[in-house]
Amino acid sequence: MKVTIGGSLKLAFRPWVEGLEHVPAEGAAILASNHLSFSDSFFLPAVLDRKVTFIAKAEYFNTPGVKGRLTAAFFKGVGQLPVDRSGARGAGEAAIKSGMEVLERGELFGIYPEGTRSPDGRLYRGKPGGLARVTLATGAPVVPVAMIDTEKIQPPGQVMPKLMRPGIRIGKPLDFSRYQGMEHDRFVLRAVTDEVMYEIMKLSGQEYVDMYATAMKRQLAEAAKAEKAAKGDKAAKGDKAAKAAQDRAGT
């Protein structure tokens, strides 16, 4: 996949990279990145010599039919692990387990602390459950990563990407060994996550929003629904007024 997909991406988009020397040549490490586009999980591994394992929703791996099998083969080929998001704690616990297994093998584990893609290009508050617990449980260093302009290449909902040059900025590894064994302390988890997000913000230059991206997406969806309903009410009132005018004209 690095030769085919990775080579094609580098040839077509020519991504620029800063800080490659900060990615360990061997041993376990966590790559914690902002998340702007579906393509983030492909551009980052494409510019690295080592394999990076991300997690992906299980639906990508168990969809029936020929298309489903091809999709599953593709995601397995690019090193993504299926995570079942069902259940009370769902994706969080599954992501933690998967991440620990990858790191215990001495490999690179990629994670998006925001938990989902940014709805507007800004950087949102990191979720403390996955990233912090994995690094504190394994002792693996966290390498902050900033994806630059990937949301312009492939915005949410757009199938065909736009040919332009994205960037990847990689920061120095962060060591959280001072918190070793404190992965169940919620204040420590919050502190670790916030420190990582601060480094990502400095690397990316994004505006920081102190709320979860999932909450913002809900707000945007509710606002869009309310706007649609308002337009429907306005149209209905317009139709009612037009009918009343017609009735008056008829009399």
Side-chain angles (χ1 to χ4, degrees):
M1 283 294 177
K2 279 189 175 293
V3 174
T4 55
I5 302 296
S8 299
L9 283 176
K10 288 192 288 186
L11 181 63
F13 295 93
R14 299 181 300 111
W16 57 265
V17 189
E18 295 178 0
L20 272 176
E21 69 276 10
H22 297 316
V23 179
E26 59 183 19
I30 300 170
L31 301 181
S33 173
N34 59 341
H35 198 13
L36 298 172
S37 169
F38 174 78
S39 60
D40 293 337
S41 300
F42 304 113
F43 278 114
L44 180 56
V47 302
L48 301 178
D49 292 331
R50 297 183 62 186
K51 175 184 176 182
V52 183
T53 300
F54 287 90
I55 55 174
K57 58 184 180 181
E59 291 88 334
Y60 287 145
F61 297 84
N62 55 25
T63 302
V66 175
K67 182 179 179 181
R69 289 195 295 271
L70 290 174
T71 300
F74 175 77
F75 277 96
K76 289 177 182 176
V78 295
Q80 299 212 16
L81 295 174
V83 171
D84 184 358
R85 301 187 298 175
S86 62
R89 304 183 72 177
E93 291 301 321
I96 291 167
K97 183 175 183 294
S98 297
M100 290 178 64
E101 291 173 353
V102 170
L103 294 168
E104 286 168 0
R105 297 196 298 266
E107 299 175 2
L108 297 178
F109 178 60
I111 188 169
Y112 301 113
E114 292 168 280
T116 186
R117 282 176 282 179
S118 170
D120 53 17
R122 296 184 294 175
L123 184 68
Y124 284 81
R125 195 180 194 202
K127 294 190 173 183
L131 168 66
R133 283 180 60 186
V134 170
T135 189
L136 295 183
T138 62
V142 179
V143 180
V145 178
M147 306 301 295
I148 312 292
D149 290 336
T150 52
E151 81 281 10
K152 299 175 182 176
I153 292 175
Q154 192 175 24
Q158 181 173 314
V159 178
M160 294 301 295
K162 177 183 178 182
L163 281 177
M164 62 176 292
R165 197 177 187 194
I168 302 172
R169 192 172 286 125
I170 304 171
K172 295 180 181 179
L174 303 173
D175 178 19
F176 294 104
S177 58
R178 62 190 184 277
Y179 296 127
Q180 203 72 35
M182 303 174 69
E183 61 267 24
H184 299 296
D185 186 319
R186 63 188 181 93
F187 296 106
V188 170
L189 297 180
R190 183 75 265 163
V192 170
T193 306
D194 287 345
E195 184 174 336
V196 174
M197 297 309 295
Y198 179 70
E199 292 301 320
I200 294 175
M201 181 187 69
K202 290 197 299 183
L203 291 169
S204 68
Q206 290 171 278
E207 176 187 347
Y208 180 75
V209 183
D210 193 21
M211 68 181 297
Y212 294 124
T214 49
M216 175 58 76
K217 286 185 174 182
R218 283 196 299 270
Q219 286 186 11
L220 293 173
E222 290 170 0
K225 184 178 179 180
E227 183 179 359
K228 184 178 180 180
K231 287 182 178 179
D233 291 342
K234 185 177 180 180
K237 289 179 181 178
D239 291 342
K240 185 176 180 180
K243 186 177 185 305
Q246 289 176 352
D247 290 343
R248 289 194 298 271
T251 58

